[in-house]
């Protein structure tokens, strides 16, 4: 079965950086759209970024210029480099996979990794 395992979360001060990783198994990784979602306490889960199999990327406006999504198809691994972190970036971050990016919100989802940014 499909498994997505995130790592790299932690606690940082505002302005700091973190790099999240997600290792995928049980799917033809190179053919899948991969993405990141996040959910803060009391809020709905929101899309952060995604990357197509050809490397094309998209970001939500609030993270543009600060976050970078990338993928290593040889390692079945997805990354999210997060710089200039803000307290409002604090959330559980989830890795997601789907055959098409339009289906990402209802696709496979990992267990999540916690990011906490203090002011």
């Amino acid at each position: 079965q499909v498994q997505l395992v995130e790592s790299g979360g932690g606690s940082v001060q505002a302005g700091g950086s973190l790099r999240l990783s997600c290792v995928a198994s049980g799917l033809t990784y190179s053919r899948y759209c991969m993405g990141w979602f996040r959910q803060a306490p009391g809020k709905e889960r929101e899309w952060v970024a995604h990357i197509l199999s050809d490397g094309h990327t998209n970001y939500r406006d609030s993270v543009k210029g600060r976050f970078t999504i990338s993928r290593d198809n040889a390692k079945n691994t997805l990354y999210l480099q997060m710089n200039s972190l803000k307290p409002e970036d604090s959330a559980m971050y989830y890795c997601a996979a789907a055959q098409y990016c339009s289906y990402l919100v209802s696709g496979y989802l990992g267990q999540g990794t916690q990011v906490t940014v203090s002011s």
Side-chain angles (χ1 to χ4, degrees):
Q1 71 276 21
V2 175
Q3 280 195 314
L4 303 173
V5 180
E6 304 96 333
S7 62
S11 297
V12 295
Q13 290 192 325
S17 298
L18 284 172
R19 189 194 196 201
L20 306 184
S21 299
C22 169
V23 178
S25 60
L27 73 168
T28 307
Y29 177 79
S30 62
R31 296 182 182 178
Y32 273 66
C33 176
M34 300 295 298
W36 292 96
F37 287 80
R38 66 186 181 187
Q39 187 168 19
K43 295 188 177 181
E44 292 191 352
R45 187 176 300 159
E46 62 183 22
W47 166 78
V48 175
H50 68 245
I51 183 167
L52 281 72
S53 56
D54 64 2
H56 184 77
T57 59
N58 279 290
Y59 300 89
R60 70 180 300 108
D61 286 346
S62 62
V63 307
K64 283 181 181 176
R66 299 188 299 121
F67 289 12
T68 302
I69 189 171
S70 62
R71 63 192 296 163
D72 185 335
N73 289 341
K75 296 182 178 179
N76 282 16
T77 303
L78 177 72
Y79 302 99
L80 185 67
Q81 178 67 44
M82 305 186 294
N83 299 328
S84 302
L85 282 161
K86 304 176 181 180
E88 51 264 42
D89 294 318
S90 295
M92 186 71 80
Y93 281 71
Y94 299 91
C95 173
Q99 287 194 310
Y100 302 99
C101 291
S102 57
Y103 297 160
L104 204 55
V105 68
S106 58
Y108 300 106
L109 203 66
Q111 293 299 306
T113 185
Q114 180 68 42
V115 172
T116 304
V117 185
S118 57
S119 57

